[in-house]
Amino acid sequence: MMCGPLSAPTAHFTKLLEDQLARARRMAQDDGLIDYGALDRLIIGVCGGDGIGPAITAQSERVLKLLLRDEAAAGRVEFRVIDSLTIERRAAANRAIPEDTLEELKACHVILKGPTTTPRAGDPWPNIESANVAMRKELDLFANVRPVKVPDQGIDWVFFRENTEGAYAAGSLGLEVEDVAVDFTVVTTAGCRRLIRAAFEHAKKTGRDRVSIVTKANVIKTTDGKFLSIAREIAKDYPGITMDDWYVDIVAAKLVDPKRRRDFQVLALPNLYGDIITDEAAEFQGGVGTAGSANIGARYAMFEAIHGSAPRMVEEGRDIYADPCSMLRASVMLLEHIGRAARARDLERALDVCMFEEKRLRITGRDTGCTGAEFADYVCSKLTTV
């Protein structure tokens, strides 16, 4: 038995590895995605989160209820409000997601979720894990899908970010031994396969012919190397789709190159790289405030903004001026995911008109622009299916 300064870290690492092996075995037993069309009643959870989350989520809820009002009236769609994921509630429970809140979330089929605050060192909150990270793990939401579209620049990208592994799988389980601090990056065969296959399937379904794999496999040889080698294996099943691979730093540079960025279509990335690159990509569309994302699993799906909770806006009384476009874009993805494609297209078209074409109202985050409610009214006025 090892003793001395390495005994506790060795036990810590052994426990972490045992937990990850158990997770990998559970993933291998997953049995495909849920069929929303076979449900008698679809339950949509609406979880505002905290900070500006409740303000912008409320506008998306209002638009969704308008688009789905006939199905809601017939009892085929139900909206459930979950208001217990605030930082105050989570801090009081000293958990990323309180147990009763998690049960509420699991009672839904899909979730529209506003931003949540993740405590940092020096904040007046316990050092609890990110609610987003915890939800992705608890509901096994393995694919984070983030589209970015700017038609006049030839940008039409869809990012598939692995959502449950990588540097975030054990992000709160690092340790320090004397002067050495260590964190852990974890990938599994099943985790890589399901994310990369989802990217190829999306390309096939949407008529795209290129999937770009993004790693740093020349340096991070074990985990990134595994991600890349599995991608090469899966690519053989899609002869009509070209796979290329890029290092993450080069992709970051090429996305700002007007000549090269048009070549990207679907990109598949490990967790940390996907988090960073998709925030960069969202800037082309108008910033992270304009971008939504989908978090897809076999049983559950969650749709959210990609930005944070902006507590300062609330402190300054500006939350009513927060931009709801991120949540509205997430609502487009929610509608697509549950098989309401026509309504999704109508909402996407309305957003394109309001954000890029007419631009009759401008959101500034202050009283120099419109409120989120006024912008949602503008979007509703452009919908043609209601």
Side-chain angles (χ1 to χ4, degrees), residues 123-190:
D123 285 350
W125 310 108
N127 188 27
I128 52 177
E129 185 182 36
S130 158
N132 275 11
V133 173
M135 192 178 298
R136 291 164 185 166
K137 290 193 287 190
E138 290 286 353
L139 304 183
D140 199 23
L141 307 175
F142 63 84
N144 183 238
V145 186
R146 296 183 174 182
V148 173
K149 187 176 181 181
V150 188
D152 63 356
Q153 296 185 38
I155 293 174
D156 188 5
W157 303 324
V158 182
F159 296 88
F160 277 73
R161 167 193 170 190
E162 203 291 318
N163 222 10
T164 62
E165 300 192 338
Y168 293 5
S172 61
L173 299 177
L175 51 84
E176 289 192 51
V177 181
E178 297 180 1
D179 293 333
V180 178
V182 179
D183 277 308
F184 303 99
T185 297
V186 179
V187 304
T188 65
T189 299

Side-chain angles (χ1 to χ4, degrees), residues 50-60 115 289-290 307-314 317-328 362-367 369-376:
D50 51 44
I52 63 170
I56 59 176
T57 305
Q59 303 312 319
S60 290
T290 68
H307 57 75
S309 59
R312 184 180 300 175
M313 289 188 71
V314 179
R318 295 189 290 113
D319 50 322
I320 64 169
Y321 298 104
D323 189 344
C325 289
S326 55
M327 294 301 291
L328 290 167
R362 191 166 69 99
I363 297 174
T364 65
R366 300 179 180 275
D367 60 8
C370 69
T371 66
E374 289 169 338
F375 192 86

Side-chain angles (χ1 to χ4, degrees), residues 196-359:
I196 294 165
R197 190 167 295 281
F200 275 92
E201 283 293 318
H202 179 82
K204 180 180 177 180
K205 182 176 68 174
T206 58
R208 291 173 166 89
D209 60 8
R210 181 177 297 274
V211 173
S212 300
I213 306 299
V214 182
T215 68
K216 194 65 176 173
N218 58 329
V219 177
I220 314 298
K221 295 183 183 295
T222 303
T223 51
D224 282 21
K226 185 179 189 69
F227 192 92
L228 179 57
S229 65
I230 289 175
R232 287 172 173 157
E233 173 190 328
I234 289 173
K236 297 174 184 176
D237 296 334
Y238 298 87
I241 298 174
T242 298
M243 190 208 94
D244 55 9
D245 70 276
W246 297 77
Y247 298 139
V248 62
D249 49 337
I250 301 303
V251 163
K254 294 306 178 185
L255 290 183
V256 300
D257 181 345
K259 295 180 180 178
R260 298 300 302 275
R261 65 187 181 211
R262 293 169 179 260
D263 295 337
F264 292 109
Q265 298 181 26
V266 178
L267 300 91
L269 314 85
N271 204 335
L272 175 60
Y273 307 150
D275 192 4
I276 296 168
I277 292 295
T278 53
D279 280 4
E280 178 197 12
E283 286 299 309
F284 292 100
Q285 188 173 267
V288 294
T290 68
S293 67
N295 299 268
I296 308 300
R299 169 63 180 83
Y300 302 99
M302 182 263 283
F303 302 83
E304 63 177 344
I306 73 170
H307 57 75
S309 59
R312 184 180 300 175
M313 289 188 71
V314 179
E315 293 167 6
E316 297 174 356
R318 295 189 290 113
D319 50 322
I320 64 169
Y321 298 104
D323 189 344
C325 289
S326 55
M327 294 301 291
L328 290 167
R329 290 287 180 188
S331 298
V332 172
M333 303 177 78
L334 186 155
L335 290 166
E336 289 176 340
H337 188 71
I338 63 176
R340 275 65 172 182
R343 293 179 179 85
R345 286 193 299 270
D346 195 40
L347 178 53
E348 183 174 38
R349 178 59 186 152
L351 284 167
D352 287 346
V353 169
C354 296
M355 293 174 65
F356 303 129
E357 297 174 20
E358 287 186 359
K359 295 188 285 189

